[in-house]
Amino acid sequence: ANWDDPLNWTADSGFPVSGDRVSFQGTVNTAVSLQGDQAARKIAFSDQNAFTINGHTLTLDAGGSLARVDVGSSTGQVIVNSAVTLAGSAIFRNDRGWSHETSQLSLRGALTGSVTLTIEGAGSGGVELRADNASTFTGPIVVNGGWFLVGHSQALGDVGHGTTLNSGATLVFRGGVNTPEHFTVAGNANQSSLSPSSASGTFTVNDGATFTINNGGGNTFNLTGTLAGPGGIVMTSGGSVLSGSSPNTLGGLIDHQSDRSSDGLNTLTLDKSGGAAAIAGPLKLSKKAIVKWAQNDQVADISSIELAGGVLNPDGHSDALGMLTVTGPGEIDLSGGPNTLRFADSRTETW
């Protein structure tokens, strides 16, 4: 169905133009073609069917929005293959729940603009950016809730503006993504990976905020960049690697509490090079969590360690650490040596 054909719309004023609000509903005309560049202010997909928009460029007015509205048990995916230009600050929203990747609002054409993009959603259906936007999008992104899926390494645009994750936000990486983006965790936000992925930017966790890492399906997440800020991190699943040559400076607690079914799904690997610290603040292990060294000198000398469960595994490496506190049935695995873990004076601690 062509966008610019008035017969495809119920209103009597012709096809939608800049300033209009557009609602897609029903079971017909679900594949929309832009016969030339088009514009609107607000666009809502409010039926359970799948929709696609193809061709040319769709411009959203300043203050505009693109939304997948919550409708019953809807699982239809909305795919925008057209390029999208933001004339001003805009909102992308998806209220649908996750349904085997069939309920997303997926933008697969280039995104253009130098404005603030806000991501929202009451559910986990997700808003996805899948195009290379490095040279076209130069604004900040703010995620206020729902799942935000990153489907291309350059999907988040120019790295100079960054992405902020507020409470309720879940950052999800697709397989093969290696994003250079810088992230600020401003509230209690989450991260997951749908397939092995990596990030080379900085994650700054603000004071009072907690960043929960839960790699879906046991997929690996390799942070080759840095962790910074006074906030904390909770790991509910392993498969994460802290690598690269720049030291992490995160001052808050890293609480590794993975309880998955295999060692591989419970392991945090420390692989910083050149003596750079992977762990700069306190570290706690519980349940089935495993922390494994891949190089020497991964933990700062002042970093305290609480072993409430899980395993410390130097795996043939050496390190000097802060005080050790044992509060549960944990383990230090010294197989595969020689191993050296030298803890600070811990005589004042009760085990």
Side-chain angles (χ1 to χ4, degrees):
N2 293 339
W3 177 287
D4 60 354
D5 185 348
L7 296 178
N8 291 324
W9 302 94
T10 57
D12 296 329
S13 57
F15 63 88
V17 295
S18 177
D20 287 343
R21 299 189 178 204
V22 181
S23 177
F24 287 95
Q25 304 177 30
T27 60
V28 297
N29 295 336
T30 57
V32 180
S33 297
L34 304 186
Q35 303 298 310
D37 296 344
Q38 304 295 340
R41 178 172 175 80
K42 295 179 180 292
I43 301 175
F45 300 87
S46 53
D47 206 294
Q48 62 183 354
N49 299 293
F51 290 89
T52 59
I53 297 180
N54 304 300
H56 292 275
T57 298
L58 178 62
T59 296
L60 287 182
D61 298 340
S65 63
L66 190 63
R68 182 75 171 89
V69 181
D70 187 2
V71 180
S73 58
S74 166
T75 59
Q77 186 166 216
V78 174
I79 299 175
V80 181
N81 292 313
S82 302
V84 175
T85 294
L86 304 181
S89 297
I91 296 173
F92 293 167
R93 181 180 181 89
N94 187 354
D95 288 337
R96 292 304 309 137
W98 184 260
S99 181
H100 301 291
E101 302 198 58
T102 61
S103 53
Q104 291 135 349
L105 172 60
S106 179
L107 287 89
R108 302 184 181 184
L111 180 67
T112 298
S114 298
V115 299
T116 298
L117 172 62
T118 300
I119 307 295
E120 297 181 350
S124 55
V127 174
E128 177 184 34
L129 299 183
R130 194 180 280 197
D132 181 350
N133 300 314
S135 62
T136 59
F137 184 74
T138 57
I141 298 174
V142 179
V143 188
N144 286 333
W147 285 28
F148 180 40
L149 294 96
V150 181
H152 189 286
S153 296
Q154 306 295 333
L156 305 184
D158 178 78
V159 299
H161 297 85
T163 295
T164 298
L165 306 174
N166 290 320
S167 290
T170 297
L171 177 67
V172 182
F173 294 116
R174 287 199 176 277
V177 165
N178 179 16
T179 178
E181 182 79 342
H182 300 300
F183 297 90
T184 297
V185 182
N188 295 330
N190 307 283
Q191 180 273 337
S192 188
S193 298
L194 297 181
S195 294
S197 58
S198 58
S200 58
T202 296
F203 284 80
T204 301
V205 186
N206 287 353
D207 189 23
T210 300
F211 190 40
T212 299
I213 297 176
N214 179 17
N215 295 317
N219 297 304
T220 58
F221 173 61
N222 187 356
L223 178 59
T224 63
T226 56
L227 294 172
I233 288 179
V234 173
M235 293 187 171
T236 58
S237 177
S240 295
V241 181
L242 302 181
S243 65
S245 58
S246 297
N248 291 331
T249 60
L250 184 86
L253 173 68
I254 295 182
D255 185 358
H256 188 11
Q257 50 181 259
S258 180
D259 195 23
R260 303 296 291 272
S261 59
S262 70
D263 287 353
L265 300 182
N266 292 316
T267 300
L268 167 64
T269 301
L270 309 181
D271 195 18
K272 286 285 187 181
S273 61
I279 306 291
L283 172 67
K284 178 180 179 180
L285 283 73
S286 61
K287 301 177 182 178
K288 299 178 183 177
I290 299 172
V291 173
K292 185 176 181 179
W293 277 249
Q295 299 195 51
N296 296 330
D297 302 322
Q298 295 295 303
V299 180
D301 295 357
I302 60 172
S303 293
S304 62
I305 311 295
E306 180 182 349
L307 201 56
V311 179
L312 289 173
N313 181 7
D315 197 32
H317 298 93
S318 63
D319 211 337
L321 309 89
M323 293 178 60
L324 173 65
T325 303
V326 180
T327 58
E331 176 184 346
I332 299 178
D333 182 358
L334 298 178
S335 62
N339 302 281
T340 303
L341 290 182
R342 184 177 292 107
F343 295 95
D345 190 342
S346 304
R347 287 177 294 178
T348 61
E349 298 300 305
T350 301
W351 292 3

